[in-house]
Amino acid sequence: MKPERCPCCQQPMHHELRLGAQLTPLKARIFDLVKRSGIDGIEHRELFNMAFSNTPPKRRTQKTVKSHVWQINDAISDSGFRICGHGGFYRLIREAAE
């Protein structure tokens, strides 16, 4: 299987593992920023600015963070963790056992 290619530069996109899930480098960066923020979480705008600092402005919006978080949560759904966005902050939380 050929690796995905970046839509901007056409270089191969490599995936990184987080909680057993393969994430693109950008999603891995978002995950790492949220995880590193600890129990207090990271404010939405700060996460947006840090994650997308190298992305052309016309290709990023505030909704972009939400989309990536949703996709990260889908990828890590079997891990027992998820990124929770509440009150303008994102936190990595352990899901309650059923």
Side-chain angles (χ1 to χ4, degrees):
M1 183 168 94
K2 291 183 181 180
E4 282 184 74
R5 298 222 170 247
C6 172
C8 296
C9 66
Q10 297 303 311
Q11 289 189 8
M13 292 178 62
H14 303 284
H15 290 85
E16 300 181 31
L17 281 178
R18 299 295 185 275
L19 298 176
Q22 287 190 343
L23 301 177
T24 63
L26 175 59
K27 286 178 179 51
R29 177 160 171 70
I30 291 170
F31 178 89
D32 292 343
L33 289 166
V34 171
K35 183 179 178 189
R36 204 174 303 135
S37 69
I39 194 135
D40 293 332
I42 184 168
E43 195 267 329
H44 178 88
R45 182 167 295 283
E46 182 180 359
L47 177 60
F48 175 82
N49 289 336
M50 292 174 76
F52 296 99
S53 61
N54 295 327
T55 305
K58 62 184 174 185
R59 297 194 64 119
R60 55 185 184 177
T61 68
Q62 292 291 324
K63 290 182 181 179
T64 305
V65 171
K66 290 179 183 180
S67 297
H68 282 286
V69 167
W70 185 88
Q71 292 165 3
I72 292 167
N73 281 336
D74 187 49
I76 65 171
S77 63
D78 292 336
S79 71
F81 288 89
R82 70 181 176 90
I83 295 175
C84 175
H86 184 71
F89 286 81
Y90 288 97
R91 296 167 186 83
L92 184 66
I93 62 168
R94 182 180 294 275
E95 292 185 304
E98 294 181 23

